[in-house]
Amino acid sequence: MTKFMDRDFLLKTETARELYHGIAETLPICDFHCHIPAQQIAENKPFSSITEVWLGGDHYKWRAMRIAGVPEEKITGSASDEEKFMAWAETMPKLIGNPLYHWTHLELQRYFGVEQPLTAENAKEIYDACNEKITALRPQDLIRVSNVKLLCTTDDPVDTLEWHRQLREQNESGATILPAWRPDKALNLTAATFLPWISQLAEASGEEIETFAGLKDALFKRLRFFHENGCRLSDHALDTVPAGPLDEALAAQAFADVLAGKDVSAQAVDAYRFALMTWLSGEYSRLGWTMQLHIGAARNRNPVMFEKLGPDTGFDAIDDASIAQNLTALLGAMMAEAPLPRTLLFTLNDKDNYVVATLAGTLQRSGATALVNQGPAWWFHDQKCGMEKHLRNLSAVTPLSEFVGMTTDSRSLLSYTRHEYFRRILCNMFGTLVEDGEYPDDRAALEMLIKKICFQNAYDLFSEVR
């Protein structure tokens, strides 16, 4: 019987073990999409307990705990840190086959030296042992010991980026830490947050925003400000892809109607989102940025809990809207506006992965490597089965050598072990292909592939500023 999560965890062949331990294991990390606040990194305060860094804000764990019957009091409520940790420990044995079981124990092993499985019986001992270590560490320590070379935070266009400026002056993590532009609030025309956010944007940009053109002027100023502060990446939660065609007049009217407090039709909202995305894509192209489109999330599906806890608390699901026609039209309009920026497409619905991968293959530019490509297995798919399927699908329709690998997409500084998880799965895939005679045992070629996929392709997105 194989030992639980031992040195060769997930590595089923001798070739896989040699590839992982000889190449992938020591590669640095480029985490280009995460949700760790820049303020947390810059302030670099010690952690109060393992619960703060492990369970605070981790909606993956919260979701599992709710399904397992844990009261909300011990998830997001006022229970003590120890009580919340114990509730998570009681949930653990129920998670057989769940990626959270693997991630939890990778984190325990790598950061705390805890080799035994976490259970209700040993939870107090493990809680005390972890606290002894974590309270002596700071956010920048965790980034450094995780071998992170570059990471991008997620930042609203109205952000002052003051914490990024502070990090440029004092940063002991060893990593380049850059902002990423996340203008979701600019796209959410009918959200309750839209008009207050427009006021914030006007103040941040120094522009009066009374028209759609004025909105673009304000965003233009903020784009340049972000660029000057090292940003080279945009990030969009494009949950539904707006329908075309491009109609600037209808978009401008929709914006004016919302400013005037009038209702707008679904068609007008689509026109606004389509036009703004097309314009933004052109600006990204001119700046030399990479554009990320995250498609297919059905967010905040529990209205009662959304009212109580707000967004990003574990009440999201997978949407099943058709995306092929709308996405094709949107990317086509972007190409008519300006050369497409380098683009990464993510989809949350597994049915759309082949759609996205094959569409990306039609949008290349002569001499450019993977101008449009599929991003990592995202959210509900960044687990063993999802990653394996994602890699198989990608390798079937595109040169896998140009894949950008893995991101944490996480709010926890302990999540960097997810890169290890991905690398083990990748090396196991390669090892199996070699030992099954489907790829030669060409170690130079395999080393090139592993280094590109696990680190270099993502890192090269930032060659200008790293």
Side-chain angles (χ1 to χ4, degrees):
M1 181 183 295
T2 303
K3 183 182 177 184
F4 171 69
M5 290 186 66
D6 64 4
R7 181 174 184 270
D8 296 328
F9 171 58
L10 298 179
L11 304 171
K12 305 301 183 185
T13 67
E14 184 59 33
T15 303
R17 291 187 280 273
E18 291 173 2
L19 294 175
Y20 176 73
H21 295 302
I23 303 169
E25 186 172 23
T26 58
L27 291 174
I29 288 171
C30 177
D31 197 38
F32 60 89
H33 177 66
C34 77
H35 297 280
I36 298 166
Q39 181 176 352
Q40 181 185 19
I41 303 171
E43 289 184 330
N44 206 28
K45 294 179 180 178
F47 299 101
S48 60
S49 73
I50 177 61
T51 304
E52 178 191 356
V53 67
W54 215 20
L55 293 171
D58 192 335
H59 59 83
Y60 286 83
K61 293 187 178 79
W62 293 351
R63 181 188 184 97
M65 292 167 77
R66 290 186 187 110
I67 297 169
V70 175
E72 195 67 32
E73 177 75 8
K74 294 183 178 181
I75 301 172
T76 62
S78 58
S80 68
D81 281 2
E82 184 171 339
E83 288 174 312
K84 290 177 179 177
F85 184 92
M86 297 305 166
W88 177 236
E90 291 169 5
T91 303
M92 286 306 301
K94 303 173 183 178
L95 293 176
I96 186 170
N98 190 293
L100 287 167
Y101 199 87
H102 292 159
W103 295 347
T104 293
H105 290 98
L106 281 174
E107 291 164 8
L108 286 173
Q109 290 178 11
R110 300 297 174 264
Y111 295 108
F112 305 104
V114 174
E115 297 292 333
Q116 67 266 39
L118 176 62
T119 66
E121 289 69 33
N122 64 15
K124 181 64 167 74
E125 175 189 349
I126 290 177
Y127 180 73
D128 291 341
C130 289
N131 278 343
E132 186 175 340
K133 291 191 175 183
I134 197 66
T135 52
L137 293 172
R138 298 171 185 263
Q140 293 179 23
D141 297 326
L142 289 177
I143 293 169
R144 185 182 64 256
V145 301
S146 301
N147 198 20
V148 179
K149 191 84 169 176
L150 184 146
L151 71 88
C152 291
T153 59
T154 306
D155 306 277
D156 191 285
V158 303
D159 198 297
T160 64
L161 301 184
E162 60 182 296
W163 300 110
H164 280 280
R165 290 197 294 275
Q166 182 172 316
L167 280 165
R168 287 200 298 273
E169 297 169 1
Q170 187 173 9
N171 176 10
E172 300 174 359
S173 71
T176 299
I177 301 171
L178 300 173
W181 167 271
R182 179 84 173 220
D184 291 352
K185 290 180 181 177
L187 275 296
N188 294 337
L189 183 66
T190 58
T193 56
F194 184 75
L195 291 178
W197 183 83
I198 290 294
S199 296
Q200 290 179 293
L201 178 63
E203 182 177 354
S205 65
E207 292 282 331
E208 291 186 13
I209 305 176
E210 298 176 346
T211 63
F212 190 45
L215 172 65
K216 291 179 182 178
D217 289 342
L219 289 171
F220 180 88
K221 281 193 173 182
R222 300 306 294 169
L223 280 163
R224 268 55 187 179
F225 174 74
F226 268 61
H227 189 81
E228 291 165 3
N229 281 274
C231 182
R232 295 297 183 270
L233 190 75
S234 72
D235 180 17
H236 294 267
L238 200 66
D239 298 338
T240 58
V241 183
L246 181 63
D247 188 334
E248 286 277 349
L250 182 56
Q253 187 60 54
F255 183 75
D257 286 345
V258 167
L259 289 190
K262 299 177 182 178
D263 292 335
V264 291
S265 68
Q267 180 184 2
V269 171
D270 262 10
Y272 169 83
R273 295 174 67 226
F274 195 99
L276 188 56
M277 281 300 309
T278 301
W279 176 81
L280 284 168
S281 171
E283 295 305 313
Y284 302 153
S285 179
R286 284 180 274 274
L287 288 168
W289 289 13
T290 297
M291 176 174 67
Q292 298 178 97
L293 304 181
H294 288 82
I295 302 164
R299 300 178 190 271
N300 308 314
R301 298 295 93 180
N302 186 324
V304 174
M305 295 306 290
F306 176 70
E307 182 70 24
K308 182 177 180 181
L309 298 177
D312 305 320
T313 51
F315 298 97
D316 303 321
I318 297 171
D319 204 350
D320 64 350
S322 296
I323 69 168
Q325 291 187 3
N326 285 1
L327 183 58
T328 300
L330 178 61
L331 292 169
M334 290 174 172
M335 291 177 74
E337 163 73 16
L340 266 180
R342 189 168 298 280
T343 300
L344 294 175
L345 302 173
F346 300 73
T347 176
L348 199 54
N349 197 314
D350 185 61
K351 72 177 179 61
D352 296 322
N353 274 320
Y354 262 131
V355 171
V356 165
T358 56
L359 176 57
T362 70
L363 300 170
Q364 304 307 314
R365 185 185 306 147
S366 178
T369 303
L371 178 74
V372 181
N373 208 349
Q374 194 162 12
W378 174 43
W379 199 341
F380 291 108
H381 303 297
D382 62 355
Q383 30 76 10
K384 181 173 177 285
C385 294
M387 288 181 190
E388 289 173 341
K389 185 173 183 181
H390 197 68
L391 289 166
R392 287 196 305 270
N393 289 352
L394 271 173
S395 63
V397 298
T398 190
L400 192 59
S401 60
E402 308 315 315
F403 183 42
V404 292
M406 181 61 182
T407 64
T408 62
D409 190 23
S410 175
R411 290 165 175 79
S412 171
L413 283 159
L414 297 183
S415 293
Y416 287 112
T417 52
R418 294 183 193 176
H419 284 263
E420 175 185 340
Y421 193 61
F422 167 79
R423 292 171 181 187
R424 287 176 177 271
I425 290 166
L426 180 75
C427 289
N428 189 64
M429 173 186 172
F430 285 1
T432 300
L433 289 171
V434 169
E435 298 207 6
D436 285 350
E438 297 185 50
Y439 193 86
D441 191 5
D442 182 340
R443 294 304 169 100
L446 291 163
E447 180 174 355
M448 176 272 293
L449 290 167
I450 290 167
K451 287 182 175 179
K452 281 171 63 67
I453 294 167
C454 292
F455 173 70
Q456 199 64 48
N457 288 339
Y459 195 53
D460 284 348
L461 298 176
F462 305 93
S463 57
E464 183 189 338
V465 288
R466 64 179 190 238

